Amino acid sequence: MRYTHSFHGLDQGFLLFLGARGRISTDQRTNQARNCLCHLSQGWQWGRPERRSVSVSDGDVDQDLVQRAQSGDKRAFDLLVLKYQQKVTNLIGRYARDQSEVLDVTQDAFIRAYRALAGFRGESAFYTWLYRIAVNTVKNHLVAQGRRPPADDVDAQTAEQMDASGRLRESATPERQLLTDEIARTVQQALDALPEDLRTAIVLRELEGMSYEEIGAAMECPIGTVRSRIFRAREAIDRRLRPLLEP
Amino acid sequence: MTSNHRACLYAALGPDPRLRATWERYHLIGQVLRGEQVKPQVRAVAAAVRAWTDSVLSDPRRRAAAVRPRAWRPLFAGAALAASAAFLALLLVPSRYRKPARVAPAALAGEMPRPPRGPPLGHGPQ
């Protein structure tokens, strides 16, 4: 089998990744898997699920990972935690006071979710289910502390929309706040530095929530080109972001 | 991308820390682009949960306890215990402490064994 296809197509890249396992270097394999990840990590956005029509939706990915976790694959659950830890922390930060408390309750919420995972039947989206567990966990925590939880809940979608302006009710250390700001600034600078076609593609994808097909129609290019542009845009941003996050 | 393709990708993703880090950063990029708050210290949550699952799942007994829905287990156990106790009570208590059944005197009399009928006195064969 010869591997002469473009690495940027979703299926092509993935098949290359699979077919070449054991035949190419680890770095090359990793790059191919990163290409696939690029597509898997682009699920629909909260608030506008109707605009996504890609074949692999965020819900599909979550469902896959949940099923794998239910069958005993602990790394699958790890991927779900990696995906949702920021969202759940932001949510719990609306109820709890300080950073360490928020992180502890977030951890507890994920552990409770893991324990209850066998009972998750997929009748709702995974994040909706996880959101309810997180809210119950933080409310129980507040009651155990002798504090009164807020009477009114925000629903999952509203909480998601509030993330943009919400801040944890805590005083982050200057270093942490600096790093938080630097991450946002780095991503913005990387976005600004992208060639216009790559920037447009990823903005339409991430901010407008458009499907590959819709982006292709808007940019008047084939879907394969859209995939390639989004992949390259993510790679360019990631190259700048990685040094900040890796020790 | 078929489900088989995805399954193979997940299988490759799980044990590779570099790919998992990439997975996390790609999601993080999307969150930053959407203006969501991203805090680097939150990344400790995944590490802590991973350490917990590693420690718990390495022990089969703790694993069985961890993945079972604990919230319902005491409730079901208590309900089953109560039902068993009630059933035993129904079986045992009446047999030990049952009061003698009241029977109507007439019926009682009707059921009493009659004495064997002998020949009428004074009317025997002569």
Side-chain angles (χ1 to χ4, degrees), chain A residues 11 14-15 18 27 30 34 37 40-41 45 64 68 74-75 78-79 83 85-87 89-90 99 107 114-115 160 164 166-168 179-180 206-207 234-235 238 242 245-246, chain B residues 1 5-10 12 14 18-20 22-27 31-43 46 48 50 52 54 57 63 66-67 70:
Chain A
D11 290 340
F14 186 72
L15 288 171
L18 289 180
D27 284 344
T30 301
R34 287 162 65 91
L37 275 181
L40 274 183
S41 60
Q45 291 176 317
D64 289 344
R68 292 183 71 88
K74 61 186 177 185
R75 293 298 176 227
D78 186 30
L79 294 176
K83 180 177 179 180
Q85 60 184 351
Q86 296 282 349
K87 293 178 192 297
T89 305
N90 288 339
Q99 180 71 45
Q107 179 184 336
Y114 184 83
R115 283 178 163 153
E160 193 68 21
R167 291 279 171 186
L168 293 181
L179 186 54
T180 298
E206 290 292 352
L207 295 182
R234 284 183 180 277
E235 280 291 282
D238 189 43
R242 205 179 312 154
L245 299 176
E246 288 182 349
Chain B
M1 193 175 202
H5 292 160
R6 298 204 301 273
C8 292
L9 179 56
Y10 301 135
R18 286 200 304 171
L19 287 178
R20 286 206 308 271
T22 305
W23 163 272
E24 181 186 13
R25 285 199 309 276
Y26 279 0
H27 283 292
Q31 288 158 1
V32 172
L33 287 177
R34 290 191 292 273
E36 297 171 16
Q37 191 181 16
V38 166
K39 287 180 169 292
Q41 62 268 31
V42 171
R43 304 172 77 212
R50 190 182 312 126
W52 180 85
D54 285 346
L57 300 186
R63 173 180 182 163
V67 298
R70 285 191 166 187

Coordinates of all heavy atoms in Angstrom, one line a residue, chain A residues 11 14-15 18 27 30 34 37 40-41 45 64 68 74-75 78-79 83 85-87 89-90 99 107 114-115 160 164 166-168 179-180 206-207 234-235 238 242 245-246, chain B residues 1 5-10 12 14 18-20 22-27 31-43 46 48 50 52 54 57 63 66-67 70:
Chain A
D11 N -10.6 11.4 6.4 CA -10.5 10.0 6.3 C -9.1 9.6 5.7 O -8.5 8.6 6.2 CB -11.6 9.5 5.3 CG -13.0 9.6 6.0 OD1 -13.0 9.7 7.2 OD2 -13.9 9.6 5.2
F14 N -6.6 9.8 8.4 CA -6.8 8.8 9.4 C -6.4 7.4 8.9 O -5.7 6.7 9.6 CB -8.2 8.8 9.9 CG -8.4 7.8 11.0 CD1 -8.0 8.2 12.3 CD2 -9.0 6.6 10.9 CE1 -8.1 7.3 13.4 CE2 -9.2 5.7 11.9 CZ -8.7 6.1 13.2
L15 N -6.7 7.1 7.7 CA -6.4 5.8 7.1 C -4.8 5.7 7.0 O -4.2 4.7 7.3 CB -7.0 5.6 5.8 CG -8.5 5.4 5.9 CD1 -9.1 5.4 4.5 CD2 -8.8 4.0 6.5
L18 N -3.6 5.0 10.4 CA -3.7 3.6 10.8 C -2.8 2.7 9.9 O -2.1 1.8 10.5 CB -5.2 3.1 10.6 CG -6.2 3.7 11.5 CD1 -7.5 3.2 11.2 CD2 -5.8 3.4 12.9
D27 N 6.9 10.5 15.3 CA 6.5 11.9 15.0 C 5.6 12.0 13.8 O 4.6 12.7 13.8 CB 7.8 12.7 14.7 CG 8.5 13.0 16.0 OD1 8.0 12.8 17.1 OD2 9.7 13.4 15.9
T30 N 2.2 10.8 14.9 CA 1.6 11.7 15.8 C 1.0 12.9 14.9 O -0.1 13.3 15.2 CB 2.6 12.3 16.8 OG1 3.1 11.2 17.5 CG2 2.0 13.3 17.7
R34 N -2.8 13.9 14.8 CA -3.2 15.3 15.1 C -4.1 15.8 14.0 O -5.1 16.6 14.3 CB -1.9 16.2 15.2 CG -1.1 16.0 16.4 CD 0.3 16.5 16.2 NE 0.2 18.0 16.0 CZ 0.3 18.8 17.0 NH1 0.5 18.4 18.3 NH2 0.3 20.1 16.8
L37 N -7.4 14.5 14.9 CA -7.9 15.1 16.1 C -8.5 16.5 15.8 O -9.4 16.9 16.4 CB -6.7 15.3 17.1 CG -6.4 14.2 18.0 CD1 -5.2 14.5 18.9 CD2 -7.6 13.8 18.8
L40 N -11.9 15.8 14.8 CA -12.7 15.3 15.9 C -13.0 16.4 17.0 O -14.0 16.3 17.6 CB -12.0 14.1 16.6 CG -12.2 12.8 16.0 CD1 -11.5 11.7 16.9 CD2 -13.6 12.4 15.9
S41 N -12.1 17.3 17.1 CA -12.3 18.3 18.2 C -13.1 19.4 17.8 O -13.3 20.4 18.6 CB -10.9 18.8 18.7 OG -10.3 19.4 17.6
Q45 N -21.3 23.9 18.5 CA -21.2 24.8 19.6 C -22.5 24.9 20.3 O -23.5 24.7 19.7 CB -20.9 26.2 19.1 CG -19.5 26.3 18.5 CD -19.2 27.7 18.0 OE1 -20.1 28.2 17.3 NE2 -18.1 28.3 18.3
D64 N -19.3 8.1 21.5 CA -18.2 7.1 21.4 C -17.4 7.0 22.7 O -17.1 5.9 23.1 CB -17.3 7.5 20.3 CG -17.9 7.4 18.9 OD1 -18.9 6.7 18.8 OD2 -17.4 7.9 17.9
R68 N -17.1 3.8 25.3 CA -15.8 3.2 25.6 C -15.5 3.2 27.1 O -15.0 2.3 27.6 CB -14.6 3.9 24.8 CG -14.7 3.7 23.3 CD -13.6 4.4 22.6 NE -12.3 3.7 22.9 CZ -11.8 2.7 22.2 NH1 -12.5 2.3 21.1 NH2 -10.7 2.2 22.5
K74 N -10.6 3.5 30.6 CA -10.5 4.7 31.5 C -9.9 5.9 30.7 O -10.2 7.1 31.1 CB -9.7 4.4 32.7 CG -8.3 4.0 32.4 CD -7.6 3.5 33.7 CE -6.2 3.0 33.4 NZ -5.5 2.5 34.6
R75 N -9.2 5.7 29.7 CA -8.6 6.8 28.9 C -9.7 7.5 28.2 O -9.5 8.7 27.9 CB -7.5 6.3 28.0 CG -6.3 5.7 28.7 CD -5.6 6.9 29.6 NE -4.5 6.4 30.3 CZ -4.3 6.6 31.6 NH1 -5.1 7.4 32.3 NH2 -3.2 6.2 32.3
D78 N -10.9 9.9 30.4 CA -9.9 11.0 30.5 C -10.1 12.0 29.4 O -9.9 13.2 29.6 CB -8.5 10.3 30.5 CG -7.4 11.3 30.7 OD1 -7.6 12.3 31.5 OD2 -6.3 11.1 30.2
L79 N -10.3 11.5 28.2 CA -10.5 12.5 27.1 C -11.7 13.4 27.3 O -11.7 14.6 27.0 CB -10.7 11.7 25.8 CG -9.4 10.9 25.3 CD1 -9.7 10.1 24.1 CD2 -8.3 11.9 25.1
K83 N -11.7 17.4 27.8 CA -12.6 18.2 26.9 C -13.4 19.2 27.7 O -13.6 20.3 27.3 CB -13.4 17.3 26.0 CG -14.4 18.0 25.1 CD -15.1 17.0 24.2 CE -16.1 17.8 23.3 NZ -16.8 16.8 22.5
Q85 N -13.2 20.0 31.2 CA -12.8 20.5 32.5 C -12.9 22.0 32.6 O -13.3 22.5 33.7 CB -11.4 20.0 32.8 CG -10.3 20.4 31.9 CD -9.0 19.9 32.2 OE1 -8.8 19.3 33.2 NE2 -8.0 20.0 31.3
Q86 N -12.6 22.7 31.5 CA -12.8 24.1 31.6 C -14.2 24.6 31.7 O -14.5 25.5 32.5 CB -12.1 24.8 30.3 CG -10.7 24.5 30.2 CD -9.8 25.5 31.0 OE1 -10.3 26.4 31.6 NE2 -8.5 25.1 31.1
K87 N -15.1 24.0 31.0 CA -16.5 24.3 31.1 C -17.1 24.0 32.4 O -17.8 24.9 33.0 CB -17.3 23.5 30.0 CG -17.0 23.9 28.6 CD -17.9 23.0 27.7 CE -17.4 23.1 26.2 NZ -17.6 24.5 25.7
T89 N -15.5 23.7 35.2 CA -14.9 24.6 36.2 C -15.6 26.0 36.2 O -15.8 26.6 37.2 CB -13.4 24.8 36.0 OG1 -12.8 23.5 36.0 CG2 -12.7 25.6 37.1
N90 N -15.8 26.5 35.0 CA -16.5 27.8 34.9 C -17.9 27.7 35.5 O -18.3 28.7 36.1 CB -16.6 28.2 33.4 CG -15.2 28.6 32.8 OD1 -14.3 29.0 33.6 ND2 -15.1 28.6 31.5
Q99 N -10.7 29.6 44.3 CA -10.1 28.8 43.2 C -9.9 27.3 43.7 O -10.3 26.4 43.0 CB -8.8 29.4 42.7 CG -8.1 28.6 41.6 CD -8.9 28.7 40.3 OE1 -9.3 29.8 39.9 NE2 -9.1 27.6 39.6
Q107 N -13.2 18.4 40.5 CA -12.7 17.0 40.5 C -13.7 16.1 41.1 O -13.9 15.0 40.5 CB -11.4 17.0 41.4 CG -10.8 15.7 41.5 CD -9.6 15.7 42.4 OE1 -9.0 16.8 42.6 NE2 -9.2 14.6 43.0
Y114 N -18.0 9.7 36.8 CA -17.5 8.4 36.4 C -18.2 7.3 37.1 O -18.5 6.3 36.5 CB -16.0 8.4 36.8 CG -15.3 7.1 36.3 CD1 -14.9 7.0 35.0 CD2 -15.2 6.0 37.2 CE1 -14.3 5.8 34.6 CE2 -14.6 4.9 36.8 CZ -14.2 4.7 35.5 OH -13.6 3.6 35.1
R115 N -18.5 7.5 38.4 CA -19.2 6.5 39.1 C -20.6 6.2 38.6 O -21.2 5.1 38.7 CB -19.3 6.9 40.6 CG -18.0 6.7 41.3 CD -18.1 7.1 42.8 NE -17.0 6.6 43.6 CZ -16.5 7.1 44.7 NH1 -17.1 8.3 45.1 NH2 -15.6 6.6 45.3
E160 N -23.3 28.2 29.3 CA -22.3 28.2 28.2 C -22.1 29.6 27.6 O -21.0 30.0 27.4 CB -22.7 27.2 27.1 CG -21.6 26.9 26.2 CD -20.5 26.1 26.9 OE1 -20.7 25.5 27.9 OE2 -19.3 26.1 26.3
A164 N -18.3 33.6 28.4 CA -17.5 34.6 27.7 C -17.3 35.8 28.7 O -16.2 36.4 28.7 CB -18.2 35.2 26.5
G166 N -18.1 35.6 32.1 CA -18.1 35.2 33.5 C -16.7 35.2 34.1 O -15.7 34.9 33.4
R167 N -16.5 35.4 35.3 CA -15.3 35.3 36.0 C -15.5 34.6 37.3 O -16.5 34.7 38.0 CB -14.7 36.7 36.4 CG -14.3 37.5 35.2 CD -12.9 37.0 34.7 NE -12.5 37.6 33.5 CZ -11.4 37.3 32.8 NH1 -10.6 36.4 33.3 NH2 -11.1 37.8 31.6
L168 N -14.6 33.8 37.7 CA -14.7 33.1 39.0 C -14.6 34.1 40.1 O -13.9 35.1 40.0 CB -13.5 32.1 39.2 CG -13.5 30.9 38.3 CD1 -12.2 30.0 38.6 CD2 -14.7 30.1 38.4
L179 N -0.9 34.3 33.1 CA -0.9 33.1 32.1 C -2.2 33.0 31.4 O -2.3 32.8 30.2 CB -0.6 31.8 32.9 CG -0.3 30.6 32.0 CD1 0.7 30.9 30.9 CD2 0.1 29.4 32.9
T180 N -3.3 33.2 32.1 CA -4.6 33.2 31.5 C -4.7 34.2 30.4 O -5.2 33.9 29.3 CB -5.7 33.4 32.6 OG1 -5.7 32.4 33.5 CG2 -7.1 33.5 31.9
E206 N -15.3 28.0 14.1 CA -15.3 28.1 15.6 C -16.3 29.2 16.1 O -17.0 29.0 17.1 CB -14.0 28.4 16.2 CG -13.0 27.3 16.1 CD -13.4 26.1 17.0 OE1 -14.3 26.2 17.8 OE2 -12.7 25.0 16.9
L207 N -16.3 30.3 15.4 CA -17.2 31.4 15.9 C -18.6 31.4 15.3 O -19.6 31.6 16.0 CB -16.6 32.8 15.6 CG -15.2 33.0 16.4 CD1 -14.7 34.4 16.0 CD2 -15.4 32.9 17.9
R234 N -5.3 25.5 12.8 CA -5.2 25.0 14.2 C -3.7 24.7 14.5 O -3.3 24.9 15.6 CB -6.0 23.7 14.3 CG -7.5 23.9 14.5 CD -8.2 22.6 14.7 NE -9.6 22.9 14.8 CZ -10.2 23.2 16.0 NH1 -9.5 23.3 17.1 NH2 -11.5 23.4 16.0
E235 N -3.1 24.1 13.6 CA -1.7 23.8 13.8 C -0.8 25.0 14.1 O 0.0 25.1 14.9 CB -1.1 23.0 12.6 CG -1.5 21.6 12.5 CD -0.8 20.8 13.6 OE1 0.4 20.5 13.5 OE2 -1.4 20.5 14.6
D238 N -1.7 26.3 17.5 CA -1.2 25.3 18.5 C 0.3 25.5 18.6 O 0.9 25.3 19.7 CB -1.5 23.9 18.1 CG -1.2 22.9 19.2 OD1 -1.5 23.2 20.3 OD2 -0.7 21.8 18.9
R242 N 1.5 25.9 22.4 CA 2.1 24.8 23.1 C 3.2 25.2 24.1 O 3.2 24.7 25.2 CB 2.7 23.8 22.0 CG 2.8 22.4 22.5 CD 3.4 21.5 21.4 NE 2.7 21.8 20.1 CZ 3.2 21.6 18.9 NH1 4.4 21.1 18.8 NH2 2.5 21.8 17.8
L245 N 1.9 26.0 27.5 CA 1.2 25.0 28.3 C 2.0 23.8 28.7 O 1.7 23.0 29.6 CB -0.1 24.5 27.6 CG -1.1 25.6 27.3 CD1 -2.2 25.0 26.4 CD2 -1.6 26.2 28.6
E246 N 3.1 23.6 28.0 CA 4.0 22.5 28.3 C 5.1 22.9 29.2 O 5.7 24.0 29.0 CB 4.6 21.9 27.0 CG 3.5 21.2 26.2 CD 4.1 20.5 24.9 OE1 5.3 20.9 24.6 OE2 3.4 19.8 24.3
Chain B
M1 N -16.0 9.9 8.3 CA -15.2 9.0 9.2 C -16.2 8.0 9.8 O -17.1 8.4 10.5 CB -14.6 10.0 10.2 CG -13.5 9.3 11.0 SD -12.8 10.5 12.1 CE -11.2 9.7 12.4
H5 N -13.2 3.8 12.2 CA -12.1 4.7 12.2 C -11.9 5.4 13.5 O -10.8 5.5 14.0 CB -12.3 5.7 11.0 CG -12.2 5.1 9.7 ND1 -12.7 5.7 8.6 CD2 -11.7 3.9 9.3 CE1 -12.5 4.9 7.5 NE2 -11.9 3.8 7.9
R6 N -13.1 5.9 14.0 CA -13.0 6.6 15.2 C -12.5 5.8 16.4 O -11.8 6.2 17.2 CB -14.4 7.3 15.5 CG -14.9 8.2 14.5 CD -15.9 9.2 15.0 NE -17.0 8.6 15.6 CZ -18.2 8.3 14.9 NH1 -18.2 8.5 13.6 NH2 -19.2 7.8 15.5
A7 N -13.0 4.5 16.4 CA -12.6 3.6 17.5 C -11.1 3.4 17.4 O -10.5 3.4 18.5 CB -13.4 2.3 17.3
C8 N -10.6 3.2 16.3 CA -9.1 3.0 16.2 C -8.4 4.3 16.6 O -7.3 4.2 17.3 CB -8.7 2.7 14.7 SG -9.3 1.1 14.2
L9 N -9.0 5.4 16.3 CA -8.3 6.7 16.7 C -8.3 6.8 18.2 O -7.3 7.2 18.9 CB -9.0 7.9 16.1 CG -8.4 9.2 16.4 CD1 -6.9 9.3 16.1 CD2 -9.1 10.4 15.7
Y10 N -9.5 6.5 18.8 CA -9.6 6.6 20.3 C -8.6 5.7 20.9 O -8.0 6.0 22.0 CB -11.0 6.3 20.8 CG -12.0 7.2 20.2 CD1 -13.2 6.7 19.7 CD2 -11.9 8.6 20.1 CE1 -14.2 7.5 19.2 CE2 -12.8 9.4 19.6 CZ -14.0 8.9 19.2 OH -15.0 9.7 18.6
A12 N -5.8 4.7 19.8 CA -4.5 5.3 19.7 C -4.3 6.5 20.6 O -3.2 6.7 21.1 CB -4.2 5.7 18.2
G14 N -5.7 7.2 23.6 CA -5.7 6.9 25.0 C -4.4 6.8 25.6 O -4.0 7.6 26.5
R18 N 1.1 12.6 24.5 CA 1.3 13.7 23.6 C 0.0 14.0 22.8 O -0.4 15.1 22.6 CB 2.4 13.5 22.6 CG 3.8 13.6 23.3 CD 4.9 13.8 22.3 NE 4.9 12.8 21.2 CZ 5.7 12.8 20.2 NH1 6.5 13.9 20.0 NH2 5.7 11.9 19.3
L19 N -0.6 12.9 22.3 CA -1.9 13.1 21.6 C -3.0 13.6 22.5 O -3.8 14.4 22.1 CB -2.3 11.8 20.9 CG -1.5 11.4 19.7 CD1 -1.9 10.0 19.2 CD2 -1.5 12.4 18.6
R20 N -3.0 13.1 23.7 CA -4.0 13.6 24.7 C -3.8 15.1 24.9 O -4.8 15.9 25.0 CB -3.9 12.9 26.0 CG -4.5 11.4 25.9 CD -5.0 11.0 27.3 NE -4.0 11.1 28.3 CZ -3.0 10.2 28.6 NH1 -3.0 9.1 27.9 NH2 -2.2 10.4 29.6
T22 N -2.5 17.2 22.8 CA -3.0 17.9 21.6 C -4.5 18.0 21.6 O -5.1 19.0 21.2 CB -2.5 17.1 20.3 OG1 -1.1 16.9 20.4 CG2 -2.9 17.8 19.1
W23 N -5.2 16.9 22.0 CA -6.6 16.9 22.1 C -7.1 18.0 23.0 O -8.0 18.8 22.7 CB -7.0 15.5 22.6 CG -8.4 15.4 23.2 CD1 -8.8 15.6 24.5 CD2 -9.6 15.0 22.5 NE1 -10.1 15.4 24.6 CE2 -10.7 15.0 23.4 CE3 -9.9 14.6 21.2 CZ2 -11.9 14.6 23.1 CZ3 -11.1 14.2 20.8 CH2 -12.2 14.2 21.8
E24 N -6.4 18.1 24.1 CA -6.8 19.2 25.1 C -6.6 20.6 24.5 O -7.4 21.5 24.6 CB -6.0 19.0 26.4 CG -6.4 20.0 27.4 CD -5.5 19.9 28.7 OE1 -4.4 19.2 28.6 OE2 -5.8 20.5 29.7
R25 N -5.4 20.8 23.9 CA -5.1 22.1 23.3 C -6.0 22.5 22.2 O -6.4 23.6 22.1 CB -3.6 22.1 22.9 CG -2.6 22.2 24.0 CD -1.3 22.7 23.4 NE -0.8 22.0 22.3 CZ -0.2 20.8 22.3 NH1 0.1 20.3 23.5 NH2 0.2 20.2 21.2
Y26 N -6.4 21.5 21.4 CA -7.4 21.9 20.3 C -8.7 22.3 20.9 O -9.3 23.3 20.3 CB -7.6 20.6 19.4 CG -6.5 20.4 18.4 CD1 -5.4 21.3 18.3 CD2 -6.5 19.4 17.5 CE1 -4.4 21.1 17.4 CE2 -5.5 19.2 16.6 CZ -4.4 20.1 16.5 OH -3.4 19.9 15.6
H27 N -9.2 21.6 21.9 CA -10.4 22.1 22.5 C -10.2 23.5 23.2 O -11.1 24.3 23.1 CB -10.9 21.1 23.5 CG -11.5 19.9 22.9 ND1 -12.7 20.0 22.2 CD2 -11.1 18.6 22.8 CE1 -13.0 18.8 21.8 NE2 -12.1 17.9 22.1
Q31 N -12.2 27.1 22.6 CA -12.8 27.8 23.7 C -12.3 29.2 23.8 O -13.1 30.2 24.0 CB -12.5 27.1 25.1 CG -13.3 25.8 25.2 CD -12.7 24.8 26.2 OE1 -11.7 25.1 26.8 NE2 -13.3 23.6 26.3
V32 N -11.0 29.4 23.6 CA -10.4 30.8 23.6 C -11.0 31.6 22.4 O -11.4 32.7 22.6 CB -8.9 30.8 23.5 CG1 -8.4 32.2 23.3 CG2 -8.3 30.1 24.8
L33 N -11.1 31.0 21.3 CA -11.6 31.7 20.1 C -13.1 32.1 20.3 O -13.6 33.1 19.8 CB -11.5 30.8 18.8 CG -10.1 30.6 18.3 CD1 -10.2 29.7 17.1 CD2 -9.5 32.0 17.9
R34 N -13.8 31.3 21.1 CA -15.2 31.6 21.3 C -15.4 32.6 22.5 O -16.5 32.9 22.9 CB -16.0 30.3 21.6 CG -16.2 29.5 20.3 CD -17.2 28.4 20.6 NE -16.8 27.4 21.5 CZ -16.0 26.3 21.2 NH1 -15.7 26.1 19.9 NH2 -15.6 25.5 22.1
G35 N -14.2 33.0 23.1 CA -14.3 34.0 24.2 C -14.6 33.3 25.5 O -14.9 34.1 26.5
E36 N -14.5 32.0 25.6 CA -14.8 31.4 26.9 C -13.5 31.6 27.8 O -12.4 31.6 27.3 CB -15.1 29.9 26.7 CG -16.3 29.7 25.9 CD -16.5 28.2 25.6 OE1 -15.9 27.3 26.2 OE2 -17.3 27.9 24.6
Q37 N -13.8 31.6 29.1 CA -12.7 31.7 30.0 C -11.9 30.4 30.1 O -12.5 29.4 30.3 CB -13.3 32.1 31.4 CG -12.2 32.5 32.4 CD -12.8 32.8 33.7 OE1 -13.9 32.4 34.0 NE2 -12.0 33.5 34.5
V38 N -10.6 30.6 29.9 CA -9.7 29.4 30.0 C -8.7 29.7 31.0 O -8.0 30.7 31.0 CB -9.1 29.2 28.6 CG1 -7.9 28.2 28.7 CG2 -10.1 28.7 27.6
K39 N -8.5 28.7 32.0 CA -7.6 28.9 33.1 C -6.6 27.7 33.0 O -7.0 26.6 33.1 CB -8.3 28.9 34.4 CG -9.1 30.2 34.7 CD -9.7 30.2 36.0 CE -10.3 31.5 36.4 NZ -9.2 32.5 36.7
P40 N -5.3 28.0 33.0 CA -4.3 26.9 32.9 C -4.3 26.0 34.1 O -4.1 24.8 34.0 CB -3.0 27.7 32.7 CG -3.3 29.1 33.1 CD -4.7 29.4 32.9
Q41 N -4.6 26.6 35.3 CA -4.6 25.7 36.5 C -5.7 24.7 36.5 O -5.6 23.7 37.2 CB -4.7 26.6 37.7 CG -5.9 27.4 37.9 CD -5.8 28.8 37.3 OE1 -5.0 29.0 36.3 NE2 -6.5 29.8 37.9
V42 N -6.7 24.9 35.6 CA -7.8 23.9 35.6 C -7.3 22.6 35.0 O -7.9 21.5 35.3 CB -9.0 24.5 34.8 CG1 -10.0 23.5 34.5 CG2 -9.6 25.7 35.5
R43 N -6.2 22.6 34.3 CA -5.7 21.4 33.7 C -5.3 20.4 34.8 O -5.2 19.2 34.5 CB -4.5 21.7 32.8 CG -4.9 22.7 31.7 CD -3.6 23.2 31.0 NE -3.2 22.2 30.0 CZ -2.0 22.0 29.7 NH1 -1.0 22.7 30.3 NH2 -1.6 21.1 28.8
A46 N -7.9 17.3 35.3 CA -7.8 16.0 34.5 C -6.7 15.1 35.1 O -6.9 13.9 35.2 CB -7.5 16.3 33.1
A48 N -5.8 15.0 38.2 CA -6.2 14.4 39.5 C -7.2 13.3 39.2 O -7.2 12.3 39.9 CB -6.8 15.5 40.3
R50 N -7.5 11.5 36.6 CA -6.8 10.4 36.0 C -6.1 9.6 37.1 O -6.1 8.4 37.1 CB -5.8 10.9 35.0 CG -5.1 9.8 34.1 CD -4.1 10.4 33.2 NE -4.6 11.5 32.5 CZ -4.0 12.7 32.4 NH1 -2.9 12.9 33.1 NH2 -4.6 13.7 31.8
W52 N -7.0 9.3 40.1 CA -8.0 8.6 40.9 C -8.5 7.4 40.1 O -8.6 6.3 40.7 CB -9.2 9.5 41.1 CG -10.3 8.9 41.9 CD1 -10.4 8.7 43.2 CD2 -11.5 8.2 41.3 NE1 -11.6 8.1 43.5 CE2 -12.2 7.7 42.4 CE3 -11.9 8.0 40.0 CZ2 -13.4 7.0 42.2 CZ3 -13.1 7.3 39.8 CH2 -13.8 6.8 40.9
D54 N -6.8 5.7 37.9 CA -5.7 4.8 37.9 C -5.7 4.0 39.2 O -5.5 2.8 39.2 CB -4.4 5.5 37.6 CG -4.3 5.9 36.2 OD1 -5.0 5.4 35.3 OD2 -3.4 6.7 35.9
L57 N -9.1 1.9 39.7 CA -9.3 0.8 38.7 C -8.2 -0.3 38.7 O -8.4 -1.4 38.1 CB -9.5 1.4 37.3 CG -10.6 2.3 37.1 CD1 -10.8 2.8 35.7 CD2 -11.9 1.7 37.6
R63 N -12.8 -1.1 41.9 CA -13.3 -0.8 40.6 C -14.8 -1.1 40.6 O -15.6 -0.3 40.1 CB -12.6 -1.6 39.6 CG -13.2 -1.4 38.2 CD -12.4 -2.2 37.2 NE -13.0 -2.0 35.8 CZ -12.3 -2.3 34.7 NH1 -11.1 -2.8 34.8 NH2 -12.9 -2.1 33.6
A66 N -16.6 1.4 42.4 CA -16.6 2.7 41.9 C -17.6 2.9 40.7 O -18.2 3.9 40.6 CB -15.2 3.1 41.4
V67 N -17.7 1.9 39.9 CA -18.5 2.0 38.7 C -20.0 1.7 39.0 O -20.8 1.9 38.1 CB -18.0 1.2 37.5 CG1 -16.6 1.6 37.2 CG2 -18.0 -0.3 37.9
R70 N -23.7 4.2 43.1 CA -23.8 4.1 44.6 C -25.0 4.8 45.2 O -25.5 4.3 46.2 CB -22.5 4.8 45.2 CG -21.3 4.1 45.0 CD -20.2 4.7 45.8 NE -19.1 3.7 46.0 CZ -18.0 4.0 46.7 NH1 -18.0 5.1 47.4 NH2 -17.1 3.1 46.8

